[in-house]
Amino acid sequence: IDGNDFSHGDSGGVTKKDVMMVYSSSGETNELKKVITYCSRMGIKLISICQKKNSTLSKASDVSVLIPISKEAGLSLLPTTSTTSFLAISDALAVALMNKKKFGLYEFKQRHQSGSIGKFLTYAEDLMIKEKNKLPLINENKKMPEAIKIMTKCKLGTLIALNSKQHLSGVLSDGDVRKHSKENLKNMRVKDLMNKNPVTVEKNTLVAKCLEILQTKKITKLIVGSKSKKNKIKVLGILSIHHILSTDTI
């Protein structure tokens, strides 16, 4: 907010929930007095970025950040060196706050979903199949004839096996079924054939990382899940390499 515009209505956008950061080299300009008065009256915390420790602004601030007094470049009349200092300290404060709040790429994506950055920040949860009626879920104790029917219906070539507590217990692929095709599958259960150590990723795993895992492990599906404190995995979805490659995200 420009200092001159503050007293012409822009102050209405500032509430007690906000923190006011004020930048001024001298800390003595006339428009600052109205800002200081407003913040004091409304109980708004005031942080100043200033060059002079004993200025009106610094003394009135809850927190005062001092920058070195330096000569302005060029004609020494217009703000140049000081504005560069303001920018540097602002960037430093922003990065420190991001680290403090653990604000990472995943949080950034929630606020920047378009453009090349939004495209790069595509996560597993953005592309995974997550609808309950489309997920190939099955209890690990179900017999194979029923498992084959569900696998055929879902058309993913993979079943996600769950235990009695609805946690992930394994994955059964059509390849696993073919390996045992000469055996008597009628009396066999899903848990007898499934892979009990499936590869999983968190929902906030970048799709580029998911693709790398798929190619390294030489598999075509990833289970997307969330781990509990006891390392039990709740299934959130399934991600296919074919789906990744068919979208414009890599």
Side-chain angles (χ1 to χ4, degrees):
I1 302 174
D2 181 82
N4 289 316
D5 294 332
F6 188 84
S7 59
H8 289 274
D10 285 2
S11 60
V14 185
T15 69
K16 290 182 179 180
K17 295 181 179 180
D18 299 313
V19 174
M20 178 70 77
M21 291 187 66
V22 180
Y23 296 79
S24 174
S25 293
S26 67
E28 298 292 349
T29 51
N30 289 329
E31 59 265 24
L32 289 179
K33 295 177 182 178
K34 294 181 180 179
V35 175
I36 293 170
T37 301
Y38 180 83
C39 290
S40 177
R41 184 174 71 250
M42 299 298 293
I44 297 169
K45 295 294 183 181
L46 180 62
I47 299 175
S48 64
I49 314 293
C50 187
Q51 288 185 334
K52 297 183 179 180
K53 181 179 180 180
N54 295 318
S55 65
T56 301
L57 176 61
S58 292
K59 290 180 179 179
S61 301
D62 295 285
V63 177
S64 179
V65 179
L66 297 176
I67 61 173
I69 298 176
S70 54
K71 183 179 179 181
E72 302 290 3
L75 299 175
S76 300
L77 296 174
L78 300 175
T80 49
T81 308
S82 59
T83 52
T84 301
S85 298
F86 288 150
L87 181 60
I89 194 69
S90 297
D91 285 345
L93 288 171
V95 172
L97 185 59
M98 287 171 63
N99 292 336
K100 177 70 175 178
K101 295 179 69 66
K102 294 181 170 50
F103 188 93
L105 290 176
Y106 183 74
E107 290 73 24
F108 185 82
K109 169 62 185 291
Q110 310 311 310
R111 296 159 178 80
H112 196 303
Q113 300 179 8
S114 300
S116 58
I117 293 178
K119 177 181 174 182
F120 170 75
L121 296 177
T122 301
Y123 290 90
E125 70 171 345
D126 298 323
L127 297 183
M128 70 182 185
I129 296 172
K130 55 189 173 184
E131 296 81 1
K132 290 290 184 181
N133 62 331
K134 293 182 180 180
L135 278 176
L137 303 174
I138 191 169
N139 184 277
E140 63 182 359
N141 290 310
K142 292 292 184 180
K143 290 189 176 181
M144 285 306 300
E146 183 177 350
I148 293 172
K149 287 182 180 179
I150 296 175
M151 185 180 291
T152 303
K153 180 181 178 181
C154 291
K155 299 178 180 180
L156 286 173
T158 300
L159 289 180
I160 304 171
L162 306 177
N163 59 24
S164 59
K165 294 185 178 180
Q166 299 301 299
H167 292 135
L168 177 67
S169 61
V171 168
L172 180 69
S173 69
D174 52 3
D176 296 324
V177 177
R178 287 196 299 271
K179 288 177 185 177
H180 297 83
S181 59
K182 294 182 180 180
E183 301 177 30
N184 183 9
L185 296 178
K186 289 184 178 180
N187 296 319
M188 299 183 75
R189 300 181 185 277
V190 171
K191 65 181 179 182
D192 297 327
L193 303 183
M194 70 182 187
N195 172 10
K196 297 180 181 179
N197 296 294
V199 182
T200 64
V201 294
E202 298 280 343
K203 67 177 183 178
N204 58 350
T205 305
L206 284 169
V207 165
K209 180 63 178 178
C210 292
L211 182 60
E212 179 186 332
I213 294 172
L214 287 164
Q215 293 174 332
T216 301
K217 299 288 185 180
K218 296 182 179 180
I219 55 178
T220 60
K221 309 286 191 312
L222 282 175
I223 306 302
V224 183
S226 60
K227 285 186 178 181
S228 67
K229 293 181 180 179
K230 296 182 179 180
N231 281 330
K232 302 298 182 182
I233 298 176
K234 178 182 178 182
V235 175
L236 301 177
I238 185 170
L239 183 62
S240 166
I241 190 172
H242 306 297
H243 193 187
I244 294 175
L245 296 177
S246 66
T247 58
D248 186 27
T249 56
I250 301 297

